[in-house]
Amino acid sequence: MPDAAAATDDALVSTFGRLLEAAARLERRLGTALEAETGVPHVWFEVLVRLARSERGMLPMGELAGQITLTSGGVTRLVDRMDAAGLVTRQACATDRRVSYAAITDAGRAKLAEAVGVHATNLRTVFDGFSDRELAVLDRLLDRLRGAPLPA
Amino acid sequence: MPDAAAATDDALVSTFGRLLEAAARLERRLGTALEAETGVPHVWFEVLVRLARSERGMLPMGELAGQITLTSGGVTRLVDRMDAAGLVTRQACATDRRVSYAAITDAGRAKLAEAVGVHATNLRTVFDGFSDRELAVLDRLLDRLRGAPLPA
DNA sequence: GCCGGATGGTTGATCAATCAATAATTGACG
DNA sequence: CGTCAATTATTGATTGATCAACCATCCGGC
């Protein structure tokens, strides 16, 4: 077996590959399901969740970008679209005129409530065989991974 | 606490959010690191790994698309670019003239060997605090997730 | 053998994200 | 105070992925 093939069996590379593959596959599948059933793309859902969870239902654009792992430029236009759809609005910040808040609207909260129901149902199918204990373990591992030290 | 906020705390929704967030963040960070150090974008790396692992170093386009979670159209152009870079070639299938194989080249194997080293090193930083036992548990959970039953 | 439906891959059009450059504002320091 | 580096969001240009339409090929039933 040539070196390259042996090296690709590096355990960490495999583990990381598994992580990305599982995430990509599930996001695709559940994302299209969610959008088909509610009209809300999965990214929109993520935005709504973050905003709804936040103080006063709003977050600065940059903070939102960080939370959903997008560029600030990307979020600018994403919020444009969601604004056009009536699910969020922009709000000026009183104390720092550079920052612009994205704020969830009532329509946004309503849509979110609907979408959460659908999404949770779909997720129950996916996590069918998982015990509470296993889910807790998974949560813990993922949290550690999320905050893992990154290479220089 | 309003209903929407309570509902967004649905445990499975959170778990799924964690999974996607961890994957997105790490892929972005490690992907830019890999590309900066080797010139190979992370998708290319994934392609090279799959091809190198496969029988005769080649896979039908569609099979490759499935493995890296892309559309067949997406893979067509991805392979175009990697072909232009000399890392893969297309090979006709002898028994079915519809199928086209993507095959890793020697240059591709060389680049992969280099990239695996870099990537593995970076991954060691990320998985620093994880024991072998924990990694095994994670692997197992991710595998089950990858093959999880999907909603209709 | 041949026809009709399925399968595999490519292509054109479109959409959305990134990157780099820009504009506006803030805060710190001389 | 006034200047300058740093921060925040937006915009234009480009890249890459999707979707749908398409072409070629294969295979099962007649």
Side-chain angles (χ1 to χ4, degrees), chain A residues 24-58:
Chain A
R25 238 197 255 306
L26 292 179
E27 170 160 38
R28 173 173 307 234
R29 193 63 182 75
L30 294 175
T32 59
L34 182 64
E35 181 159 12
E37 293 177 68
T38 68
V40 175
H42 183 256
V43 209
W44 290 29
F45 179 79
E46 285 295 332
V47 170
L48 293 176
V49 168
R50 310 299 175 138
L51 294 181
R53 271 181 188 158
S54 302
E55 204 65 41
R56 303 194 51 217
M58 54 175 65

Side-chain angles (χ1 to χ4, degrees), chain A residues 34 38 40 45 48-49 52 87 104-121, chain B residues 2-8 13:
Chain A
L34 182 64
T38 68
V40 175
F45 179 79
L48 293 176
V49 168
L87 303 181
I104 190 170
T105 63
D106 288 346
R109 289 197 191 266
K111 203 63 182 165
L112 174 58
E114 175 195 350
V116 165
V118 170
H119 192 47
T121 300
Chain B
D3 281 333
T8 57
V13 172

Side-chain angles (χ1 to χ4, degrees), chain A residues 2-145:
Chain A
D3 282 333
T8 56
D9 285 343
D10 183 294
L12 290 184
V13 172
S14 288
T15 299
F16 187 62
R18 262 183 263 267
L19 175 69
L20 297 193
E21 191 181 330
R25 238 197 255 306
L26 292 179
E27 170 160 38
R28 173 173 307 234
R29 193 63 182 75
L30 294 175
T32 59
L34 182 64
E35 181 159 12
E37 293 177 68
T38 68
V40 175
H42 183 256
V43 209
W44 290 29
F45 179 79
E46 285 295 332
V47 170
L48 293 176
V49 168
R50 310 299 175 138
L51 294 181
R53 271 181 188 158
S54 302
E55 204 65 41
R56 303 194 51 217
M58 54 175 65
L59 282 176
M61 301 293 284
E63 175 59 26
L64 182 57
Q67 290 200 20
I68 62 177
T69 321
L70 276 189
T71 300
S72 71
V75 169
T76 292
R77 294 193 247 260
L78 174 56
V79 168
D80 284 347
R81 296 191 296 273
M82 296 183 66
D83 187 359
L87 303 181
V88 303
T89 15
R90 270 173 232 259
Q91 288 240 307
C93 173
T95 69
D96 185 339
R97 297 223 295 257
R98 288 169 304 180
V99 345
S100 174
Y101 285 97
I104 190 170
T105 63
D106 288 346
R109 289 197 191 266
K111 203 63 182 165
L112 174 58
E114 175 195 350
V116 165
V118 170
H119 192 47
T121 300
N122 291 340
L123 281 171
R124 244 167 264 132
T125 306
V126 169
F127 286 102
D128 194 21
F130 289 70
S131 69
D132 287 353
R133 170 117 183 71
E134 287 170 330
L135 286 174
V137 170
L138 180 59
D139 276 349
R140 167 122 183 76
L141 289 170
L142 290 174
D143 273 339
R144 284 170 60 192
L145 221 39

